[in-house]
Structure formats: structure tokens, C-alpha cells
Amino acid sequence: MRMASAALLSICAGVALAQQPAGDPANSLQSDTQAWLDKAIANSRPSGAAPLRMVVNVGALDPRLSLAPCGQVEPYLPPGTRLWGKTRIGLRCVDGTTFWNVFLPIHVQAFGEAWVLKSDLSAGTVIGNDAAVLAEVDWAQENSSVLADPALWLGQTAARRLVTGQALRHGMVKPSQVFAAGSMVRIVAKGPGFTVTSDGQAISPGVVGETVRVRIDSGRVLSGVVLDVRTVQVSL
């Protein structure tokens, strides 16, 4: 979809829609915009099979609009607009007796395989490899990106309640706790040119990639990063 968006942006910058007839510019705008978007999506695909099947539906202009005839209409993306899901494009007359600017609603869908939950999961549940199955979904249904690589969700914890049929996306999972407060852990302390390994006790629960406090034999409390189920790395 990023490639499709880039192609559309470049076309918006330099390609105009066909000339509009004087009779019914609104209907012509809708059909021409649909063709313009379809062509832009098709041209944006890399050689070979595209990973996503793009579908673009063009909505209708406000029926209360009465547009003056225009010799050339240019599409453009309003600032901050993303060609993903339900969005809009701008259409402006650049060659006419009256220069007008309107917005046309569009719906961009991107169908492709994603990992979909087989059953409901409560918040805090560790997600195993049998929790999801591949199915075709609309990647553009939500703004958050799909977790296409199982390594991104396998063994992670559900950040909130997740429901059957939901595609796994960023923000739905978080790293799992690998040891509890009070657990004995191995501390790897690194400094300039040396590495020291010792045992210690975790003061707080450990989550891979996050900071945890540990107490060493002398009673001193250190902070380090959890590397795995029993290893904490401390920088000296």
C-alpha cells in the first residue's frame, strides 16, 4: 500500500483528469476519478504478484453542489491525508471561468493474508502458535499495521481483550513477563573492556526488553535490561 500511495502522490503532482463536459460535471468527475485511482493503483504494483489486492471505491459529491464547467480538473491529496481506509481526495478546477475546489470521499481497501484469532483472548493471555490462523482480511480496515510475521506476536501477551476473527495488529500485543519479583536471575554486567557475571534477585517483574531492578549479594540494587527468561544485563 505504501507503493500505491507514493504512485498516487506523484500522479497528483503532475497528471490532470480528462476535460469535463459542460453538461453534468459532477457525474463525470466521479467516473473519471474512479478510473484515475484504478490506474494509479495498478501502476504502483511491483512486477509479479502484488502482496495486497487493492480495491478503491469512489463516493459521490454532495448533490447540493452546482459546479461550473471546467476544462481541466486536478486531483490532489489534502495535507495529512492518507490513502488508506475511508479517506478523501481533493478535486480543483484549474482551467475554467470559475475556479472551484471540492472533496470526494473514497474507500481504499487492501486485501491480503493476515493472522486472525481463532478464539477470544482475555487481556494478559500469552499468545501461542495455535491461537491464530491465516485468512484474507482488509489491512486498511484499521490504521494500525498488521503483524504479518508470527515472530511479532508469538509468545507475546494480549494487551487488551481480543475477539475471534480479529486480525493481529500493532498495539494489540505486548512483551510477556518472563519472571516474577523475587526470582533468582543471572546478572551480566558490562563495562569498558570487561564482562562480569553473577547471581541476583529480581525486585520487580521481568519483561523482555524492559528495565528491571535487581539486588546482588552485597545488597546493592542495580537496574538492567531483561534479555531472556533469567538474564539481566547491567551497564557499568
Side-chain angles (χ1 to χ4, degrees):
M1 183 54 198
R2 291 179 181 174
M3 298 186 67
S5 298
L8 285 169
L9 282 167
S10 65
I11 293 176
C12 284
V15 179
L17 294 174
Q19 289 192 348
Q20 305 300 314
D24 190 356
N27 287 340
S28 181
L29 274 177
Q30 183 175 351
S31 60
D32 286 348
T33 302
Q34 176 75 65
W36 173 78
L37 287 169
D38 288 344
K39 184 177 180 181
I41 292 290
N43 290 340
S44 71
R45 291 178 179 174
S47 57
L52 298 176
R53 177 171 57 87
M54 309 303 298
V55 176
V56 182
N57 294 306
V58 177
L61 291 171
D62 189 328
R64 296 169 295 180
L65 290 174
S66 180
L67 301 178
C70 183
Q72 183 174 315
V73 178
E74 286 183 349
Y76 70 95
L77 289 177
T81 299
R82 184 179 178 215
L83 286 167
W84 191 257
K86 292 182 178 180
T87 184
R88 64 176 185 166
I89 61 170
L91 300 171
R92 56 191 169 204
C93 176
V94 296
D95 181 13
T97 55
T98 300
F99 296 100
W100 44 259
N101 182 80
V102 295
F103 297 100
L104 189 63
I106 62 173
H107 187 193
V108 180
Q109 295 173 290
F111 293 100
E113 283 195 333
W115 292 99
V116 173
L117 290 172
K118 296 163 61 176
S119 59
D120 294 356
L121 296 178
S122 58
T125 301
V126 177
I127 306 175
N129 56 13
D130 60 344
V133 63
L134 279 174
E136 186 180 65
V137 301
D138 178 12
W139 287 37
Q141 188 173 5
E142 298 180 26
N143 287 329
S144 55
S145 55
V146 167
L147 298 175
D149 185 350
L152 297 174
W153 54 264
L154 189 59
Q156 300 282 297
T157 298
R160 60 178 186 272
R161 183 176 181 273
L162 305 177
V163 299
T164 305
Q166 201 169 15
L168 288 168
R169 297 173 181 267
H170 283 283
M172 292 183 177
V173 302
K174 62 182 180 180
S176 299
Q177 178 180 315
V178 291
F179 56 76
S183 300
M184 297 304 296
V185 296
R186 183 181 63 172
I187 302 171
V188 178
K190 288 189 175 183
F194 70 90
T195 299
V196 177
T197 302
S198 64
D199 292 328
Q201 185 177 39
I203 298 177
S204 54
V207 176
V208 174
E210 296 187 4
T211 301
V212 66
R213 299 173 69 215
V214 293
R215 180 181 288 109
I216 57 178
D217 291 341
S218 65
R220 183 182 176 187
V221 175
L222 305 174
S223 293
V225 176
V226 180
L227 298 183
D228 55 37
V229 293
R230 66 176 303 270
T231 307
V232 176
Q233 180 174 298
V234 175
S235 296
L236 300 177

